[in-house]
Amino acid sequence: MRKLAWIFGMVWMGLWACDPKDDPTPKSPEQGVKKAIVDTMREWYFWNGRIPTTIDLNNFSSNEELLDGIIFKPLDRFSYLTTQEAFNNSFVGRNAGHGFGFAFTADERLYVSFVFNESPAGKDGWKRGWEITQINGKPIAEYKTASGGYDFKLGGPDPGISNSFTFRLPDGTTTTRTNIKAEYQSNSVLDQRIFEAGGKKVGYWAYQSFRATAGLNPIRSSEVQSSMEFFQSQGIQELIIDLRYNGGGSVDVCTQISNYLIQTANSGRLMYTNKLNDLKSASNASVNFSKIGNLNLTRVIFITSRSSASASELVINNLTPYMQVVIVGDNTFGKPVGSFPLSRYSRTLLDNNVELVPITFATANAQGKAEYFDGFPADFRVGDSPQFPWGDPRDLRLAAALQYIQTGNVSGRMADTYYKPKWEIIDAFKGLQQEFPAF
């Protein structure tokens, strides 16, 4: 039988039973759900020993407030509640919204950072590198808050919500587009191409989310397979994986990617182990590499940011014991723990359409590295440059990665372009926890 394990919004398969328990009759439906949340957390939560012994459910006005009140802080920034439908949709990338991300440059100019192909924005032809100068007729500066962030007031993800955007295009012209939010299927691969650098053929892969393809069994991504087969056919000798906007995703897809990247000589060796709480220690498990394809890489260069999290960090951690890993950009977020949905273990949660997704396990690589809550440090800190299209050699982080392949170093001038963003492109750990929920 299968189990679901969740790292930042996607599913990992395994071996736990899935019959929900019958909960005692509650005093009220609302109190019953709260009691079910507490009981299920005591059984499955990774830090269950840190849950308060006595909890007065009357002190919490909502399920979300209750969960926030009992999780282990400050390490747990990740546990959340959603609905079963929202959880299942995010597993295969079904979203609703405009379908784009955005990022600021150091001088606080706002740019489209990525666009999903089949989203309303994608169908309207939006591209990375378009500067957003106005939203709904107001200059970007007018949306700045007292705290120094920005609130663009674009509304929720519901289909039908309309917003207008004025862009300055790379050729200097301007255009205003009205865009209506709708449901769409998001893509994970934002760009893939081949470069020549240092006398080598270099693959470049911009990957936005470790997202499974609906209907495939075992769980995996057809996009990943297609990309890796493309790089194999091109005979690449180096690979740059761009995870700067990747908040995580499916552990199964992370495993799939790791198996493409590992050398044949290391197939069969330990990839990672996962550990649950003491009540569930019998379900602790190890996963070994099983080589896919014929890529033969001795190193991988990752482009990352403070928004590169979870499965993004897991693939880095998986490979580090077996090959050279170079990180360009910024330190990663720091999420060495994962989750899976728990409504299947509680009749009350199941019947009330409450999906509880708390931290339930931690992972460690073959060297035992398991605690990187501060993230993986960048070898070369280089700022983002969303004003340039995907694959443009003027993109600072891509240019730094290519320079490293050519020279074995990154120049001081390029490294000096690093800056601390005043505002994250998207707060990836709020809402429904979908990785970089597009607007």
Side-chain angles (χ1 to χ4, degrees):
M1 199 172 292
R2 294 179 177 171
K3 70 179 177 182
L4 291 180
W6 189 257
I7 279 197
F8 200 67
M10 302 294 281
V11 174
W12 183 65
M13 302 301 290
L15 299 171
W16 289 307
C18 55
D19 293 328
K21 296 180 179 179
D22 292 323
D23 299 312
T25 303
K27 294 180 180 179
S28 71
E30 293 78 12
Q31 292 291 81
V33 170
K34 290 178 182 176
K35 182 180 184 302
I37 289 172
V38 172
D39 291 345
T40 307
M41 289 285 284
R42 291 196 190 281
E43 180 179 2
W44 287 99
Y45 188 47
F46 183 70
W47 294 291
N48 59 347
R50 300 282 186 162
I51 297 175
T53 303
T54 303
I55 300 172
D56 186 350
L57 301 180
N58 295 310
N59 290 337
F60 303 97
S61 61
S62 67
N63 297 333
E64 289 75 16
E65 184 179 328
L66 169 63
L67 183 65
D68 184 67
I70 65 176
I71 60 175
F72 177 41
K73 298 175 180 177
L75 290 186
D76 188 358
R77 300 163 282 169
F78 318 108
S79 296
Y80 69 99
L81 290 160
T82 183
T83 65
Q84 290 146 26
E85 180 182 16
F87 180 91
N88 291 333
N89 283 345
S90 62
F91 169 57
V92 292
R94 287 191 292 269
N95 300 298
H98 294 304
F100 74 103
F102 48 82
F104 281 96
T105 54
D107 57 358
E108 297 197 52
R109 295 170 70 176
L110 182 64
Y111 289 86
V112 174
S113 56
F114 64 87
V115 184
F116 294 121
N117 296 339
E118 297 302 315
S119 70
K123 290 181 177 180
D124 194 35
W126 300 15
K127 301 294 182 184
R128 172 177 169 85
W130 287 18
E131 182 181 2
I132 306 172
T133 59
Q134 295 184 25
I135 295 177
N136 292 322
K138 295 171 59 176
I140 299 304
E142 294 189 20
Y143 290 98
K144 193 167 187 177
T145 65
S147 64
Y150 289 81
D151 181 3
F152 296 118
K153 303 183 185 303
L154 296 177
D158 304 306
I161 294 176
S162 175
N163 291 287
S164 68
F165 303 82
T166 298
F167 301 100
R168 181 180 293 115
L169 304 183
D171 63 5
T173 62
T174 61
T175 181
T176 297
R177 308 287 182 88
T178 297
N179 197 262
I180 301 173
K181 294 185 179 184
E183 294 183 351
Y184 63 91
Q185 176 68 45
S186 57
N187 53 288
S188 293
V189 177
L190 301 175
D191 192 72
Q192 65 183 37
R193 63 186 66 214
I194 302 296
F195 291 94
E196 296 287 341
K200 297 179 179 179
K201 187 171 284 191
V202 180
Y204 170 71
W205 194 43
Y207 190 63
Q208 193 271 337
S209 176
F210 294 75
R211 184 178 294 115
T213 300
L216 294 185
N217 186 15
I219 292 176
R220 63 193 188 279
S221 165
S222 60
E223 285 188 84
V224 167
Q225 180 178 338
S226 177
S227 289
M228 293 300 161
E229 289 177 351
F230 166 73
F231 291 131
Q232 289 172 177
S233 70
Q234 296 297 308
I236 64 168
Q237 298 156 286
E238 300 269 7
L239 179 61
I240 300 167
I241 301 181
D242 193 335
L243 302 175
R244 75 182 82 180
Y245 305 136
N246 192 317
S250 166
V251 179
D252 291 282
V253 176
C254 173
T255 299
Q256 179 189 13
I257 293 171
S258 299
N259 282 328
Y260 274 108
L261 301 179
I262 197 66
Q263 308 93 334
T264 301
N266 287 317
S267 185
R269 300 184 68 180
L270 179 64
M271 182 186 299
Y272 67 85
T273 60
N274 70 299
K275 178 184 178 182
L276 285 77
N277 68 35
D278 290 343
L279 295 176
K280 303 297 181 181
S281 59
S283 294
N284 293 349
S286 298
V287 175
N288 294 334
F289 287 101
S290 180
K291 175 66 176 174
I292 304 174
N294 59 17
L295 289 179
N296 186 28
L297 304 171
T298 58
R299 69 179 174 193
V300 176
I301 299 172
F302 290 94
I303 295 175
T304 64
S305 72
R306 289 297 289 171
S307 297
S308 303
S310 197
S312 289
E313 296 170 304
L314 182 57
V315 72
I316 291 171
N317 206 36
N318 287 345
L319 297 175
T320 297
Y322 302 103
M323 64 174 62
Q324 182 186 10
V325 169
V326 179
I327 299 177
V328 172
D330 198 0
N331 301 352
T332 64
F333 182 84
K335 187 174 183 285
V337 288
S339 317
F340 50 87
L342 297 180
S343 67
R344 62 187 53 225
Y345 304 110
S346 167
R347 177 64 64 187
T348 298
L349 297 181
L350 195 65
D351 291 347
N352 285 274
N353 193 27
V354 174
E355 192 57 85
L356 173 61
V357 193
I359 295 302
T360 49
F361 65 93
T363 60
N365 69 9
Q367 295 172 331
K369 186 173 180 60
E371 295 192 6
Y372 43 90
F373 285 98
D374 292 329
F376 291 111
D379 297 292
F380 303 98
R381 286 164 68 89
V382 178
D384 198 7
S385 47
Q387 64 268 39
F388 299 119
W390 290 116
D392 191 317
R394 294 173 296 174
D395 172 23
L396 297 172
R397 287 174 171 169
L398 173 58
L402 292 170
Q403 184 184 78
Y404 181 82
I405 291 172
Q406 291 174 316
T407 68
N409 205 349
V410 174
S411 69
R413 181 193 62 79
M414 188 172 296
D416 286 343
T417 63
Y418 174 79
Y419 64 92
K420 184 65 177 175
K422 294 182 175 64
W423 185 74
E424 294 291 339
I425 57 166
I426 296 170
D427 184 353
F429 299 101
K430 291 183 179 179
L432 297 180
Q433 302 292 310
Q434 292 176 323
E435 60 286 355
F436 294 101
F439 289 96

